[in-house]
Amino acid sequence: MSRPYSLQSAYCHYCRVSKKKVFYSDNGSTAVEVAIKMCLQYWVNTSKQPRTKIIAFKEAYHGDTFGAMSVSGRSIFTDPFASLLFDVEFIDLPNEQNIEQLKSKINYLSNEVACFIFEPMVLGAGGMLMYEAQHLDQLIEACQKHGILTIADEVMTGFGRTGKYFSCEALNTRPDIFCLSKGLTGGTMPMGITTCNKKIFDAFWSDDKLKTLYHGHSFTANPVTCAASLASLDILLNPETLKNIQRIVAKHETFALQIKGHPKLKDVRQAGTILVMEWETGTDTSYLSGLRNQLYNYFLDRGIIMRPLGNIIYILAPYVISNEDLDYIYQTIIEALNDI
């Protein structure tokens, strides 16, 4: 059965971005790896003085391959490989107090920087940290002023997670490259894509074979996986799915107000269908917090699979979840706050 759209056209239409080309891979890490290689080789192909520095957030997580680890914040995930990772300029998450300082740093480093990579508005494995779209807009604008390429890693935030089809819909500026995976196939099969604009593609379009992006994986654009992605997009773009997303967002908002200020919670934060509760431990938040196993087992014993990030728990529910199941999860969280 033919469809009136492809993965590329559906993505471009609903994210309102003009991405001319799509590079297929097989997971989020490799989607990021491709993006990094595109950016670095872009400068090799177009400049006599190639830029090699990359800017990323300190708490970022972009994957487990070596390029993706290099642009991820240094942590227990990367410690065993620290001496083998390439140097990256890490910056703080932007806010009202530091935004001018961060823009000044980009201006200062501009002649060296090839690209800026970021998770838009929500940093996942770094602790479900959240920041404002307006501040990200300013960082992207500062990069574009100096020709610095920008990479949006929407592997976790894409496909409705933040309440919109893609997080970057909240931005006024458009990144040059997008990385997608996870929800692309609805979790059924491995697939990743890296989309780029025509400016980047044109840097590789040449009779000079040395300008080729020599990158490929054994199962790139596997036809069965592509079919699964199209089927998943059919479901995502069904009006009922958006209604479900909006329903979950509203339910989360109500529950967040109910537990906000609880003495055992350091913070409660929400971005769309993502609801995060940071347990108070008396010390800094840590992925290795002893609370992790307590929380995990507490919820598992009650038929709920949570995946705590140390002392942080979060709800990342499937869009088909019922109100009854959400209410049961909320009630169990309240019980956990009393019991743990």
Side-chain angles (χ1 to χ4, degrees):
M1 176 180 177
S2 63
R3 289 176 172 82
Y5 56 81
S6 64
L7 292 179
Q8 178 181 1
S9 63
Y11 176 76
C12 292
H13 177 70
Y14 285 93
C15 200
R16 300 194 303 276
V17 293
S18 179
K19 293 292 166 277
K20 299 296 183 182
K21 301 296 177 181
V22 175
F23 193 105
Y24 293 87
S25 59
D26 50 12
N27 61 66
S29 296
T30 52
V32 168
E33 204 81 13
V34 169
I36 293 169
K37 291 176 73 173
M38 279 183 179
C39 289
L40 293 175
Q41 191 174 339
Y42 169 90
W43 289 104
V44 172
N45 287 1
T46 62
S47 176
K48 293 180 180 178
Q49 293 183 312
R51 300 182 185 184
T52 58
K53 192 174 287 293
I54 296 174
I55 294 176
F57 289 130
K58 289 179 180 177
E59 299 88 354
Y61 173 80
H62 293 290
D64 297 325
T65 51
F66 267 84
M69 280 196 298
S70 292
V71 296
S72 298
R74 301 300 181 253
S75 66
I76 59 171
F77 302 124
T78 61
D79 282 348
F81 317 101
S83 64
L84 302 172
L85 304 179
F86 57 76
D87 187 39
V88 171
E89 192 70 37
F90 289 105
I91 61 174
D92 293 322
L93 285 182
N95 55 46
E96 197 67 39
Q97 289 70 45
N98 69 9
I99 187 63
E100 293 303 322
Q101 180 185 356
L102 295 179
K103 286 158 63 178
S104 295
K105 187 166 190 175
I106 290 171
N107 291 338
Y108 177 75
L109 296 170
S110 59
N111 290 333
E112 307 170 57
V113 178
C115 61
F116 166 43
I117 184 169
F118 54 86
E119 297 163 88
M121 278 66 84
V122 184
L123 273 64
M128 291 294 178
L129 304 174
M130 299 176 185
Y131 64 105
E132 298 294 326
Q134 60 177 326
H135 298 132
L136 180 56
D137 259 326
Q138 292 184 59
L139 293 183
I140 296 173
E141 288 168 3
C143 288
Q144 291 179 343
K145 178 181 175 183
H146 298 286
I148 297 169
L149 303 176
T150 51
I151 305 170
D153 177 355
E154 290 236 30
V155 170
M156 192 274 288
T157 58
F159 303 100
R161 276 293 162 211
T162 58
K164 299 179 181 293
Y165 284 115
F166 298 94
S167 292
C168 284
E169 288 186 78
L171 297 172
N172 294 318
T173 50
R174 293 292 174 245
D176 298 288
I177 293 176
F178 285 80
C179 302
L180 301 169
S181 188
K182 293 194 189 304
L184 189 58
T185 65
T188 58
M189 298 189 75
M191 189 175 194
I193 63 174
T194 307
T195 72
C196 71
N197 56 26
K198 190 172 184 297
K199 177 180 76 171
I200 293 176
F201 176 78
D202 285 346
F204 295 86
W205 185 258
S206 173
D207 291 331
D208 182 355
K209 290 183 171 54
L210 294 178
K211 291 190 175 183
T212 302
L213 179 66
Y214 287 108
H215 188 103
H217 297 139
S218 298
F219 295 99
T220 291
N222 178 290
V224 178
T225 304
C226 288
S229 295
L230 288 170
S232 181
L233 278 172
D234 283 339
I235 296 170
L236 178 70
L237 302 181
N238 186 309
E240 286 301 312
T241 301
L242 187 56
K243 287 180 183 177
N244 276 338
I245 289 171
Q246 293 167 342
R247 173 179 58 85
I248 294 167
V249 171
K251 292 277 289 181
H252 280 356
E253 287 172 350
T254 300
F255 180 65
L257 288 173
Q258 182 181 346
I259 61 172
K260 213 170 186 67
H262 192 287
K264 287 188 180 178
L265 292 178
K266 185 175 182 178
D267 190 26
V268 178
R269 47 190 181 267
Q270 180 189 1
T273 69
I274 306 169
L275 181 62
V276 181
M277 292 136 282
E278 186 171 348
W279 239 255
E280 181 62 76
T281 63
T283 60
D284 291 338
T285 291
S286 171
Y287 192 84
L288 298 178
S289 170
L291 265 177
R292 187 268 172 202
N293 289 346
Q294 283 182 264
L295 292 167
Y296 179 81
N297 290 323
Y298 185 93
F299 287 99
L300 191 62
D301 288 345
R302 289 154 180 80
I304 301 169
I305 297 178
M306 287 279 191
R307 185 185 172 226
L309 301 170
N311 56 304
I312 294 173
I313 64 170
Y314 58 93
I315 302 174
L316 215 62
Y319 303 146
V320 294
I321 193 169
S322 67
N323 286 339
E324 291 74 22
D325 282 344
L326 276 174
D327 289 337
Y328 175 66
I329 293 170
Y330 297 151
Q331 182 58 39
T332 306
I333 290 171
I334 291 172
E335 292 169 5
L337 287 168
N338 293 330
D339 295 344
I340 297 177

